Structure formats: structure tokens, C-alpha cells
Amino acid sequence: MILHHLEATNSILNKFISEIRDLTIQKDSLRFRRNIERIGEILGYELSKQISYTTTEVQTPLGVKNMQLPNNDIVLCSILRAGLPLHQGLLNYFDNAENAFISAYRHHPNNDAEFEIVVEYFASPSINNKTLLLADPMLATGQSLVAVYEGIKKHGTPKEIHLVCVIGSTEGIEFVKNHFPENTHLWIAAIDDTLNDKGYIVPGLGDAGDLAYGAKL
């Protein structure tokens, strides 16, 4: 797996990451969603440097200019519901992308810290021989991304895969690395070292879905 860790280089991205982590600022769900969206835009911009381009003639009022324009057939797939603001940020830049959505959630059968990932819903165009952008803001244990990938594989084989995440754990990244194709790209804004006994990233930011859309039952 090819890792792209954006926080390793200082940029305005640091401000948006600090705000989604900040306990006081993150109480504003509108601002939280917008910051995730802005992080998605930055991740999308960096990702755009790795896709394919074709020389295309562009007619201006005064002449013709040859431009290098992206030519990938992109399918942007987000994990519901936390992935929606990240999806929008990526879609702001890859506005011609086809869109897919998949559900995944932690099921605790024994009402304790042990859980399994349940995937129940997938709506997508064909992903065969296309560039798949798989977006999930939190890469904690990595089990959600792997379960989602196993579900998606039943519907076709993409030409290339780009995972897009906001915050991940070193343990989760290693788990994903062992279950995705070797040439998969992981684009991630920030990496934390620790998971707690419930499988949440520390210091992380909490539950991204709840912060974006309100607490669930």
C-alpha cells in the first residue's frame, strides 16, 4: 500500500484538523461538517496528482490552448453516514465522478467491547476497470474498510483504488495494508498511534457520524 500522510507537511490543513478535534469547536455540527468537507477538498487535490491526464484542446475567445485534463473514470464511494461530508469535499473537485454509497456499522452482539462490522446496503454504478475512491473519515481498527471492500468486490474489479480518510490509527493502517491490493493508495490527513479498548482512536475526535449529524440510538 502506498501511504500519503498529509499532516507530515505543515499546511492550512492543520487548522481544519485542529478544529474537528477541538471539543469546544466541534459542538457546532455545521462547522464540523464544513471542516470535514474542506479536508476532503485538500485530500482530493493531492490525490489528483496521481491520476491520468490527456492533452486536450481548449478553445478560448482568442485562440486555442492545449491543456492536460484528467481522464480517469472515477467512482466515488462513501461509507454511510459519517462519510457524507468527506464525500462532498471530494465531489467538489471530482465533479464528473459517478457516485456510490455503502453502509457499514459496528454490531455488538454481546453488548460489550467486542464487535463485528455489518454491511447491509450498496448502491453503485459499475466499478469494473474504473478508479475507485473509497472515503471513510475514521480509520480506527480498519475492519470497516476491509468489510466494505469485501462487499464491493462482489460487484466488480476496479482498475485502481484510492482510500481517503481524515484520521487513522497506526494499527488500522497496518490492518488495511494487509487486506487491500499492494498498489492501493491511502490518502490520510492525520495519524494517531493509539486505539482504546473499544477500538476508538486516541486522541482522535470522537464519533464523526454523531458530530456531523447528531447522536444515534
Side-chain angles (χ1 to χ4, degrees), residues 73-75 98 122 124-132 152-160:
D73 292 325
I74 292 175
V75 176
E98 297 178 280
F122 182 51
S124 175
S126 171
I127 62 172
N128 272 322
N129 205 35
K130 294 181 181 178
T131 299
L132 177 65
I152 290 175
K153 283 198 300 185
K154 300 173 184 177
H155 299 273
T157 304
K159 180 174 64 175
E160 54 186 292

Side-chain angles (χ1 to χ4, degrees), residues 5 16 26 36 43 50 60 64 70 89 113 125 127 134 162 175 179:
H5 180 200
F16 306 143
Q26 67 178 207
I36 295 289
L43 289 164
Q50 294 291 325
T60 81
V64 175
I127 62 172
L134 183 54
H162 296 264
F175 185 80
H179 289 82

Side-chain angles (χ1 to χ4, degrees), residues 19 28 154:
E19 289 189 357
D28 182 345
K154 300 173 184 177

Side-chain angles (χ1 to χ4, degrees), residues 131-149:
T131 299
L132 177 65
L133 310 188
L134 183 54
D136 190 11
M138 306 301 289
L139 199 175
T141 66
Q143 293 182 44
S144 292
L145 275 175
V146 170
V148 162
Y149 177 55

Side-chain angles (χ1 to χ4, degrees), residues 8 28 48 64 69-70 73-74 84 88 91 111 121 135 137 144 167 193 205 207:
D28 182 345
S48 73
V64 175
L69 299 181
D73 292 325
I74 292 175
L84 292 176
Q88 186 59 55
L91 191 60
N111 294 318
Y121 172 84
S144 292
I167 299 177
D193 290 331
L205 54 76
D207 190 299

Side-chain angles (χ1 to χ4, degrees), residues 184-205:
T184 299
H185 289 258
L186 171 59
W187 302 87
I188 193 162
I191 299 174
D192 294 342
D193 290 331
T194 307
L195 289 176
N196 65 17
D197 57 0
K198 295 183 178 180
Y200 286 97
I201 301 169
V202 178
L205 54 76

Side-chain angles (χ1 to χ4, degrees), residues 54 69 71 78 118 207:
T54 301
L69 299 181
N71 63 8
S78 291
V118 178
D207 190 299

Side-chain angles (χ1 to χ4, degrees), residues 17-183:
I17 295 173
S18 70
E19 289 189 357
I20 63 172
R21 290 187 189 269
D22 190 297
L23 184 62
T24 301
I25 297 175
Q26 67 178 207
K27 291 178 181 178
D28 182 345
S29 59
L30 175 61
R31 187 167 181 176
F32 183 85
R33 292 193 303 271
R34 180 64 182 118
N35 278 329
I36 295 289
E37 182 179 339
R38 291 196 286 189
I39 292 169
E41 291 173 346
I42 294 171
L43 289 164
Y45 171 74
E46 294 297 329
L47 189 159
S48 73
K49 299 175 184 178
Q50 294 291 325
I51 60 177
S52 301
Y53 288 77
T54 301
T55 302
T56 305
E57 286 190 352
V58 177
Q59 180 68 54
T60 81
L62 300 176
V64 175
K65 176 67 176 179
N66 287 332
M67 299 287 297
Q68 295 294 318
L69 299 181
N71 63 8
N72 290 61
D73 292 325
I74 292 175
V75 176
L76 172 55
C77 180
S78 291
I79 300 177
L80 299 173
R81 61 183 170 151
L84 292 176
L86 184 58
H87 186 105
Q88 186 59 55
L90 292 164
L91 191 60
N92 289 346
Y93 278 29
F94 299 107
D95 50 290
N96 291 325
E98 297 178 280
N99 294 270
F101 300 93
I102 191 165
S103 71
Y105 65 91
R106 294 184 177 191
H107 174 56
H108 298 265
N110 302 315
N111 294 318
D112 56 19
E114 297 296 321
F115 65 88
E116 59 187 13
I117 302 298
V118 178
V119 177
E120 290 186 335
Y121 172 84
F122 182 51
S124 175
S126 171
I127 62 172
N128 272 322
N129 205 35
K130 294 181 181 178
T131 299
L132 177 65
L133 310 188
L134 183 54
D136 190 11
M138 306 301 289
L139 199 175
T141 66
Q143 293 182 44
S144 292
L145 275 175
V146 170
V148 162
Y149 177 55
E150 292 300 319
I152 290 175
K153 283 198 300 185
K154 300 173 184 177
H155 299 273
T157 304
K159 180 174 64 175
E160 54 186 292
I161 301 171
H162 296 264
L163 307 178
V164 185
C165 303
V166 176
I167 299 177
S169 73
T170 51
E171 180 179 326
I173 291 170
E174 190 63 26
F175 185 80
V176 166
K177 178 181 178 180
N178 293 329
H179 289 82
F180 275 80
E182 186 176 351
N183 62 346

